[in-house]
Amino acid sequence: MIREAEESRPAKVRDVNSVQSVDRALDLLELMVSAGGTLGLSELAARSGLPLPTIHRLVRTMVNRGYLRQEPSRRYALGPRLIPLGDAAGRMLGTWARPHLDALVQQVGETANLAMLEGDSVVYVAQVPSPHSMRMFTEVGRRVLPHCTGVGKALLSTLPADEIRQIVRRTGMPAQTEKTITTPDDLLTELGRIRERGYAIDDGEQEMGVRCVAVPVGDSPLPVAISVSGPSGRLTTERVADVGRLLLRSADELAVALRAESPA
């Protein structure tokens, strides 16, 4: 089961061998990502707890290297040098996840997906298609809103309520179908159900006639989720609980693999 999201995220434990300036620069980049990619210096100071002169030095260095850029509004945004890094990391993540997605397709017979929360949207990182001629297909690299997808709701369920409200306030909650959840309160109620049962369900909320079951990959160094999706006529409500259990086991195995790939 997914444990209830904490009201605030735990403080990071610093390795005694870490370099403070690198730690701080990476913290600032992560704050930029969590805020949707753009922040001002005062906002970075408030969120990081670092003094403005320190933030200014770090930000100017990253601007000079192309990892951040300054907008006409004087706010800072993620820079173009991050794009090839993200592309390469996404390919590696897909490579590590491929055996686990293959196993899910063999067990369930439907398309298996790996997705990651990136800023306010969910991006599909890897997919293994179903062997059926009629199957679900989502282009790798596609971005979707989190409120109306199985992987999106699975990932949101790991966040505190105030952060979830901030995300949907920025993105809006447009109705993709008549089943889409379109209010923050209803979404928070649904996320509570997801934490209780351990998996998320998209029952025609993104596309009518399609059902998806998804779980977050807990204890992972990255905010990722895996899912199985297929036509609702094959991926029936009677199969959902069994598919959810398979996904939870696969997520545990994938988390172990991802931690093994991360430096100690």
Side-chain angles (χ1 to χ4, degrees):
M1 296 295 177
I2 304 170
R3 288 180 290 182
E4 188 74 26
E6 300 293 335
E7 287 303 313
S8 59
R9 292 182 177 179
K12 294 182 179 179
V13 177
R14 302 296 186 193
D15 190 303
V16 294
N17 296 315
S18 65
V19 179
Q20 187 182 60
S21 60
V22 176
D23 258 340
R24 288 175 168 177
L26 294 175
D27 285 346
L28 295 180
L29 286 175
E30 290 177 0
L31 285 172
M32 298 281 288
V33 170
S34 67
T38 307
L39 281 175
L41 284 180
S42 59
E43 293 169 308
L44 282 169
R47 295 182 184 218
S48 68
L50 295 174
L52 270 173
T54 298
I55 292 174
H56 189 263
R57 288 196 301 271
L58 293 170
V59 164
R60 290 312 308 171
T61 300
M62 288 189 281
V63 167
N64 291 338
R65 295 292 303 273
Y67 294 104
L68 294 178
R69 62 184 177 85
Q70 189 170 25
E71 300 189 321
S73 64
R74 310 290 295 175
R75 290 163 65 84
Y76 291 89
L78 297 175
R81 284 289 297 275
L82 292 171
I83 295 172
L85 296 181
D87 289 344
R91 288 192 296 271
M92 289 305 301
L93 181 57
T95 299
W96 297 330
R98 180 69 189 237
H100 305 276
L101 300 182
D102 279 332
L104 283 169
V105 172
Q106 292 171 14
Q107 292 168 320
V108 182
E110 302 295 346
T111 298
N113 310 283
L114 175 74
M116 179 168 58
L117 187 63
E118 191 173 275
D120 291 344
S121 61
V122 174
V123 58
Y124 286 90
V125 177
Q127 182 179 85
V128 175
S130 163
H132 295 287
S133 57
M134 186 176 76
R135 60 196 178 200
M136 300 303 102
F137 174 78
T138 300
E139 184 179 357
V140 171
R142 180 189 176 194
R143 292 177 179 272
V144 295
L145 296 178
H147 74 285
C148 56
T149 57
V151 284
K153 291 190 294 181
L155 289 163
L156 289 179
S157 72
T158 66
L159 303 178
D162 60 344
E163 189 169 345
I164 295 165
R165 288 187 182 275
Q166 290 170 18
I167 289 173
V168 298
R169 187 180 301 121
R170 291 190 293 263
T171 63
M173 300 181 66
Q176 303 298 324
T177 74
E178 61 186 26
K179 292 189 173 185
T180 305
I181 297 172
T182 56
T183 69
D185 287 343
D186 287 345
L187 178 62
L188 289 172
T189 298
E190 174 63 14
L191 296 179
R193 296 191 190 103
I194 292 169
R195 296 183 191 107
E196 184 176 343
R197 68 176 172 242
Y199 54 85
I201 305 169
D202 163 12
D203 191 1
E205 297 163 50
Q206 172 74 9
E207 184 178 348
M208 292 298 293
V210 175
R211 185 170 285 120
C212 175
V213 187
V215 301
V217 179
D219 296 324
S220 164
L222 295 168
V224 293
I226 54 174
S227 70
V228 167
S229 56
S232 54
R234 287 201 310 257
L235 189 54
T236 61
T237 55
E238 291 78 15
R239 298 186 66 196
V240 164
D242 287 340
V243 172
R245 283 190 286 271
L246 287 172
L247 281 165
L248 287 167
R249 185 166 66 241
S250 182
D252 287 343
E253 294 168 353
L254 178 55
V256 171
L258 291 178
R259 289 197 302 272
E261 297 292 344
S262 301

